[in-house]
Amino acid sequence: MPNQSNAHAAQEQANISKQVDVNLSTLSAFFTDNSNYRHRILQISDTESALAICYLDILIDEKHLNSQLLQLNLDAINEDTVMECLSTMGSVQTFTDHQAIATFLFNAGFICLVQGKEEAYGIPIPGYQTRSIEESKTEPVVRGPRESFNEQIQTNLAMIYRRLKTPYLKTKKYTIGSNSNTEVQAVYLQHLVDKMVLAEFERRIGQVKLDTLIESAQLEEQIQDHVFTPFPQIAMTERPDRIVAALNEGRIVVLVDGTPSVLIIPTLFTDFLQASEDYYERFYFANVTRALRILALVISLLGPSLYVALTTFHQEMLPTPLLLTFSAAKSGVPFPTFIEALIMEIAFELLREAGIRLPRTVGQTISIVGALVIGEAAVQSGIVSRPMVIVVATTGIASFAIPAFNAAIAFRIMRFPIMFIAAATGVFGIAICSLLLILHVSSLRSFGAPLLSPVAPMHWRSWLKNIFIVPYQVRESRGSGASLPEYQMNQLDEYSKSKE
Amino acid sequence: MMLWDRRFVAYAFICLYLLLLLSSCSTDIRELNQVSIVMATGIDWDQDTNKHQITVYTLQPTSKGTNATQQDSLNEWLGSATGNSIMESAQHLRFRASKKLFWFHNRIFIISRDAARHSMPEIIDFLQRNREIRSTSLVLISDVNAEQILKTKPETQDLVVNELFGMIRNQDETGNSLGISVKDLINKDANPTQGYITGRVVTRTPKEKSEPVLALHGSALLQKGTFVNWLSSDETAIVRLLTDPDKDKVQTTFVVKDQEHDFDSITAQVAIKSRKIRSYFVGDQPEMDIYFDFTCIINELKHNQTANQMNIPALEKVIKKSIQQNFQHVITKAQRKVKVDYLEFGNHLYQHHPNKWKQIQPKWNTVFEKMPVHVTVNLTIWNTGNVQ
């Protein structure tokens, strides 16, 4: 284990020495077996003192570095003027220990070591490839800004800054992950944010324990209020316009380097049913779409269960002509309705899963096979009845109509237990399940804010803001034009204590 | 952050408890391909054997073929069984039925005249007790065997039951017949002083056909759980105008033959604008004032030229007079000939003079026979038709 012992030795010599050679050997020990670590020693002629630079060649723009070095008047550099000279190359950071230098090198910068100085100078000069700003693939709109976040936190932050040109916009930087040292930024508007939520957020993020932070979901998992519920309590988006709207409502947004998914804290359940385009179209249309989404939610949760319950327990609830149609379709089908529903649902879920994971080029095949299997072949071979195909297809479409993917999958999962109960107890079971589900969701909180607010607890006035869309002229507006969702923050204190 | 939520455990237990119900409740499952859907039921009584017979008209839909052009077909099954009671006959029906009989979608009950005369109380009790029978199903009385009615081949390609249902629905336009629901039948039969009417279904062979077809014709009068008499179509229309709770729904057509005026023959379609019935007592004798305000559309005139503006008051007068006479005729017939109060006068007295009603209720039949009823008709011609 020579590498480890070298690293340990390097850590022991944490502070930078006046000797460039000593510093370079310490750093080399740090980066043993790392082929991308480079260092160069530049002699400064008249003083015989040395200037060394070190970097990770794959992270920085080497060409740019070379041209910068050429422009540098090496003769003018001495212990006193080094800072002055380097600042022409970019913003200079000063380091006094090797650990910090190593971290800086990983953040795409180069380090300057000067003979006789007990500090090192770092200048960021990133040169790695990143994905450009592209149109959002998961949250597309017809009208509205097209750009979406990418994997680089600086680009993402810039997109927010460009949209909110106010000194009230504050960012707090955290570094999370003992191995990944991932940059996390919490952004909020100082005059609108709820101070208690902010304090609670800081408390929770301080307790996060992670080796490697890759996706904001890992962070979400550790800072959310309830672990064992299928329902998400923190909304996620990759649209900057949505983030800006959230900031304007006094929420905190959390950006994680390396992922375009940005978290919104706190979240209300209604957020999962809203798309940013709701605010870009005329309000009549937006309200109708929102109503449709609520319907879609109910269908995606209860669709097959209701069909199973109605056709096996409560045939009297169906109109006679409809019953005759269902009955005709059912004749000759070998399975009980419930098994039929289960077969189709599983087939549909398989297809959906396969469709997501397959490479694009093969994706076409899956959709053709899926259409044949689910649409035609299943009915023709007499395994399932035609109405069942329609029910499953409608349910599938309905679950796609919920804008938030993380909420939609929760309903997708809940559909199955409800189906089982509907097959055993009919509409009565569905009613009990729905009741339990509503009770459960209304008990959930997102950073102290009841998830179901403003429905439970009831705030009629907030309905105009969070559930319906009314024209600006009718909407009660704050001085700044922003509107805060009315959370019930009063219990947050006790709540935090109880969690501890 | 608390990882294990106590409420979650509670929910999990409730769910587990619900799972226990799985086995106990699954016997209630009735798969669609295991049921035979009863659409119409006929109830007969045979005088010679003193037995009841129940006939069901059921559908078992099946689909033929499995390709995209597959067609659904409805397998009809007409089954009947006899027994000492209606329920017993219904149970005997299960000897023949291959699937579970499912009564929830039964739309029409046909009761033969003999059954209505002999065992209406049992029938009503049967309809009332059976959980599967919908209170909105309609009841018709047939003058032949109910089985025969259900056996009759439908005139159109539709089902017999749909044909009958359509016929009943059409009667709102003419008021000449009707079908009352099981609920109304039960409620009305509970009142011993009042008679009530429901549709009469007959089989007749029209000239252009060789086989008999179904038709509605007037209504059947029932009282105290027994069949009393048939009423003609015209009488039914008048009774509906007088008693139908939904007065805006009923309309009827009168053909007025008037020799004295130039109009000669008028066909007028009338609808109720307002209906006021007032009862009062002169001494111990109740009296009734009935006031109708009709709107009227002229459908047909023998002499077109008579429908000009000048003649409208005269036209109104003639139609008014004729309608008034019709009313008087029906009321007189009910009082003197049939001697059954199916015009709901007793109900009216009970609602408006409850104390006096208590006194006259025991001798209501004799009081009803002698009760003076004054009918006033007002009528406005709304439209004389397109021909000017």
Side-chain angles (χ1 to χ4, degrees):
Chain A
M1 307 285 267
N3 292 350
Q4 276 193 4
S5 57
N6 283 342
H8 281 303
Q11 274 171 11
E12 279 163 20
Q13 293 180 313
N15 287 333
I16 292 170
S17 110
K18 281 185 177 178
Q19 300 297 317
V20 168
D21 298 342
V22 177
N23 287 333
L24 281 180
S25 61
T26 315
L27 279 172
S28 297
F30 236 102
F31 288 100
T32 331
D33 288 353
N34 189 332
S35 58
N36 299 111
Y37 172 73
R38 297 267 183 278
H39 64 255
R40 298 189 210 165
I41 300 167
L42 309 167
Q43 290 293 337
I44 301 168
S45 57
D46 53 345
T47 57
E48 288 182 7
S49 59
L51 177 86
I53 56 165
C54 41
Y55 54 88
L56 289 169
D57 61 357
I58 48 160
L59 286 180
I60 66 151
D61 189 349
E62 242 182 323
K63 235 182 211 173
H64 185 62
L65 176 70
N66 290 339
S67 68
Q68 290 281 320
L69 287 175
L70 278 175
Q71 285 171 21
L72 206 63
N73 184 5
L74 289 175
D75 295 341
I77 297 180
N78 56 39
E79 285 171 36
D80 305 322
T81 58
V82 61
M83 193 70 179
E84 208 176 295
C85 291
L86 287 176
S87 58
T88 59
M89 294 171 76
S91 69
V92 184
Q93 291 177 47
T94 317
F95 302 98
T96 51
D97 68 306
H98 288 105
Q99 187 71 41
I101 289 176
T103 313
F104 185 76
L105 288 180
F106 276 111
N107 280 328
F110 75 90
I111 290 286
C112 245
L113 296 161
V114 183
Q115 184 72 26
K117 273 283 201 188
E118 271 186 324
E119 50 187 23
Y121 307 97
I123 298 165
I125 178 165
Y128 50 84
Q129 291 297 310
T130 53
R131 194 164 62 100
S132 62
I133 297 175
E134 286 168 10
E135 191 165 340
S136 174
K137 287 204 176 68
T138 52
E139 298 167 81
V141 288
V142 176
R143 180 177 176 175
R146 294 273 185 269
E147 59 184 18
S148 69
F149 290 133
N150 64 11
E151 284 74 15
Q152 218 195 349
I153 194 165
Q154 301 303 331
T155 321
N156 297 347
L157 265 179
M159 275 191 252
I160 298 173
Y161 271 92
R162 273 204 350 258
R163 285 176 171 80
L164 282 173
K165 295 163 188 123
T166 162
Y168 290 120
L169 184 68
K170 303 290 175 196
T171 54
K172 277 194 178 171
K173 188 178 162 184
Y174 304 89
T175 307
I176 289 175
S178 53
N179 286 338
S180 65
N181 284 313
T182 311
E183 182 180 342
V184 173
Q185 294 266 13
V187 185
Y188 55 91
L189 283 176
Q190 192 187 27
H191 60 308
L192 294 177
V193 73
D194 194 305
K195 299 289 181 298
M196 286 166 79
V197 176
L198 188 63
E200 178 68 14
F201 168 73
E202 282 173 352
R203 188 184 71 79
R204 289 191 196 179
I205 204 161
Q207 291 173 356
V208 169
K209 284 182 185 69
L210 275 173
D211 289 340
T212 313
L213 176 58
I214 299 163
E215 224 288 330
S216 51
Q218 291 169 282
L219 200 62
E220 180 186 339
E221 196 183 9
Q222 295 208 18
I223 61 172
Q224 68 190 352
D225 297 49
H226 310 270
V227 179
F228 292 102
T229 171
F231 297 99
Q233 303 124 57
I234 296 174
M236 179 277 289
T237 183
E238 52 173 61
R239 293 189 59 83
D241 54 339
R242 213 173 147 200
I243 286 299
V244 169
L247 286 171
N248 224 26
E249 286 174 349
R251 312 207 199 185
I252 306 164
V253 300
V254 184
L255 294 90
V256 175
D257 194 21
T259 172
S261 328
V262 178
L263 305 177
I264 300 174
I265 289 167
T267 297
L268 303 186
F269 192 81
T270 48
D271 294 336
F272 297 126
L273 297 176
Q274 292 175 3
S276 48
E277 203 171 1
D278 292 357
Y279 295 93
Y280 306 148
E281 298 295 348
R282 295 194 74 76
F283 73 98
Y284 296 111
F285 175 76
N287 281 320
V288 171
T289 342
R290 282 196 178 174
L292 263 179
R293 286 192 202 120
I294 294 172
L295 183 71
L297 188 142
V298 175
I299 292 174
S300 77
L301 187 66
L302 303 177
S305 318
L306 272 176
Y307 179 78
V308 169
L310 288 183
T311 55
T312 52
F313 286 96
H314 315 280
Q315 287 103 340
E316 66 275 11
M317 282 172 83
L318 297 167
T320 314
L322 189 66
L323 177 75
L324 293 177
T325 314
F326 282 177
S327 184
K330 181 78 183 125
S331 72
V333 175
F335 299 112
T337 314
F338 169 62
I339 301 296
E340 237 186 296
L342 211 59
I343 290 173
M344 286 306 280
E345 277 296 331
I346 291 173
F348 187 81
E349 291 297 327
L350 276 177
L351 209 70
R352 173 147 57 179
E353 197 53 30
I356 296 172
R357 308 285 160 239
L358 266 188
R360 286 276 155 75
T361 42
V362 202
Q364 286 282 330
T365 329
I366 262 290
S367 59
I368 293 166
V369 171
L372 280 175
V373 168
I374 286 200
E376 280 294 313
V379 175
Q380 281 194 17
S381 57
I383 289 174
V384 292
S385 58
R386 278 169 293 164
M388 183 54 80
V389 176
I390 295 169
V391 168
V392 171
T394 315
T395 312
I397 294 167
S399 72
F400 291 135
I402 301 171
F405 184 71
N406 51 357
I409 50 175
F411 286 104
R412 246 165 83 184
I413 295 167
M414 294 310 292
R415 184 152 80 219
F416 287 90
I418 296 180
M419 244 163 77
F420 274 91
I421 288 164
T425 56
V427 170
F428 170 73
I430 295 180
I432 297 286
C433 278
S434 311
L435 191 70
L436 289 178
L437 214 59
I438 291 170
L439 281 175
H440 171 66
V441 178
S442 45
S443 77
L444 296 181
R445 280 163 191 281
S446 172
F447 281 79
L451 197 69
L452 267 192
S453 170
V455 180
M458 187 78 86
H459 295 286
W460 284 107
R461 291 172 74 85
S462 307
W463 282 47
L464 291 181
K465 296 172 200 160
N466 293 322
I467 293 181
F468 305 113
I469 295 177
V470 290
Y472 175 81
Q473 285 79 353
V474 180
R475 199 165 52 214
E476 186 194 20
S477 64
R478 290 159 58 95
S480 63
S483 61
L484 261 175
E486 288 175 15
Y487 319 118
Q488 276 213 320
M489 301 309 303
N490 47 355
Q491 292 150 342
L492 190 63
D493 260 355
E494 292 169 26
Y495 182 73
S496 317
K497 278 172 202 160
S498 75
K499 286 277 156 182
E500 281 165 355
Chain B
M1 211 177 333
M2 192 168 137
L3 287 179
W4 189 263
D5 200 339
R6 219 178 296 161
R7 272 166 300 183
F8 174 79
V9 183
Y11 291 144
F13 269 110
I14 293 170
C15 290
L16 282 175
Y17 178 72
L18 281 173
L19 281 176
L20 289 178
L21 296 174
L22 274 168
S23 54
S24 58
C25 283
S26 55
T27 47
D28 283 351
I29 287 181
R30 191 167 34 195
E31 287 288 343
L32 277 180
N33 44 10
Q34 293 164 358
V35 295
S36 199
I37 304 158
V38 179
M39 299 294 287
T41 310
I43 300 169
D44 290 313
W45 176 72
D46 187 33
Q47 201 170 2
D48 300 335
T49 58
N50 193 17
K51 284 205 168 187
H52 286 95
Q53 177 181 326
I54 197 159
T55 311
V56 289
Y57 172 80
T58 72
L59 293 176
Q60 292 159 21
T62 51
S63 56
K64 284 177 184 166
T66 50
N67 56 10
T69 56
Q70 70 189 65
Q71 282 193 331
D72 295 344
S73 70
L74 299 166
N75 288 345
E76 297 173 25
W77 179 70
L78 195 71
S80 59
T82 53
N84 289 320
S85 72
I86 301 158
M87 195 59 219
E88 197 185 68
S89 335
Q91 277 168 352
H92 287 171
L93 207 55
R94 266 90 173 178
F95 293 143
R96 285 182 60 198
S98 60
K99 297 192 173 186
K100 269 185 199 172
L101 291 176
F102 179 70
W103 248 282
F104 281 115
H105 285 266
N106 184 79
R107 295 172 101 179
I108 288 173
F109 283 95
I110 293 165
I111 302 167
S112 73
R113 183 188 54 190
D114 291 344
R117 198 173 263 159
H118 175 263
S119 50
M120 204 59 187
E122 291 104 301
I123 295 172
I124 289 174
D125 198 54
F126 170 75
L127 297 180
Q128 214 166 350
R129 277 177 201 276
N130 200 322
R131 192 172 68 94
E132 288 200 3
I133 288 170
R134 281 197 186 192
S135 61
T136 49
S137 334
L138 301 176
V139 180
L140 294 175
I141 309 288
S142 68
D143 48 0
V144 291
N145 263 357
E147 186 187 2
Q148 203 177 324
I149 298 282
L150 292 176
K151 267 183 187 166
T152 312
K153 216 178 146 199
E155 277 199 84
T156 57
Q157 296 298 315
D158 210 347
L159 308 171
V160 170
V161 62
N162 285 353
E163 265 196 2
L164 277 172
F165 209 72
M167 283 180 213
I168 296 168
R169 207 172 36 216
N170 278 346
Q171 296 311 312
D172 285 344
E173 283 174 32
T174 61
N176 285 337
S177 187
L178 76 164
I180 62 168
S181 64
V182 167
K183 183 184 82 185
D184 285 349
L185 179 81
I186 293 164
N187 285 341
K188 287 183 174 181
D189 198 74
N191 187 345
T193 58
Q194 300 291 297
Y196 55 95
I197 57 168
T198 185
R200 173 194 187 185
V201 56
V202 295
T203 51
R204 58 157 74 124
T205 314
K207 279 177 193 164
E208 71 278 8
K209 293 220 170 185
S210 55
E211 288 177 343
V213 297
L214 292 180
L216 287 183
H217 182 78
S219 56
L221 171 60
L222 300 126
Q223 193 201 17
K224 286 191 223 164
T226 182
F227 171 82
V228 180
N229 206 348
W230 301 117
L231 293 187
S232 73
S233 300
D234 292 341
E235 280 172 315
T236 309
I238 298 283
V239 176
R240 285 193 71 182
L241 284 177
L242 268 168
T243 60
D244 204 303
D246 190 0
K247 69 179 171 60
D248 297 329
K249 205 174 76 180
V250 212
Q251 51 180 348
T252 187
T253 308
F254 288 100
V255 180
V256 184
K257 301 272 186 196
D258 184 80
Q259 307 301 336
E260 294 167 22
H261 294 80
D262 298 340
F263 313 122
D264 202 358
S265 166
I266 313 157
T267 309
Q269 192 182 355
V270 299
I272 302 173
K273 194 171 160 192
S274 78
R275 176 173 72 188
K276 284 178 190 143
I277 300 175
R278 196 169 76 88
S279 55
Y280 51 92
F281 279 79
V282 179
D284 283 341
Q285 179 65 35
E287 286 192 27
M288 285 279 193
D289 278 355
I290 298 171
Y291 171 80
F292 270 100
D293 194 354
F294 288 114
T295 55
C296 167
I297 297 168
I298 303 293
N299 278 347
E300 219 176 289
L301 276 178
K302 196 166 183 185
H303 301 295
N304 259 334
Q305 67 275 21
T306 53
N308 63 36
Q309 209 60 37
M310 300 294 288
N311 283 332
I312 284 175
L315 261 175
E316 283 176 347
K317 204 174 159 190
V318 173
I319 300 166
K320 209 152 65 178
K321 194 179 152 199
S322 163
I323 293 175
Q324 204 156 344
Q325 280 170 356
N326 278 345
F327 268 100
Q328 282 298 355
H329 172 73
V330 169
I331 292 165
T332 315
K333 188 186 167 190
Q335 285 181 314
R336 310 279 147 75
K337 213 172 148 196
V338 188
K339 296 182 180 176
V340 172
D341 171 22
Y342 50 89
L343 305 170
E344 295 191 356
F345 291 165
N347 260 350
H348 193 272
L349 285 171
Y350 164 67
Q351 283 161 10
H352 293 85
H353 309 279
N355 292 331
K356 291 207 169 172
W357 171 251
K358 273 181 203 161
Q359 293 165 15
I360 58 167
Q361 192 191 7
K363 46 177 184 174
W364 171 240
N365 274 355
T366 43
V367 175
F368 171 69
E369 280 169 40
K370 290 171 192 156
M371 188 172 77
V373 181
H374 317 284
V375 181
T376 320
V377 172
N378 191 22
L379 180 133
T380 320
I381 293 180
W382 200 257
N383 192 336
T384 55
N386 286 336
V387 183
Q388 293 296 315

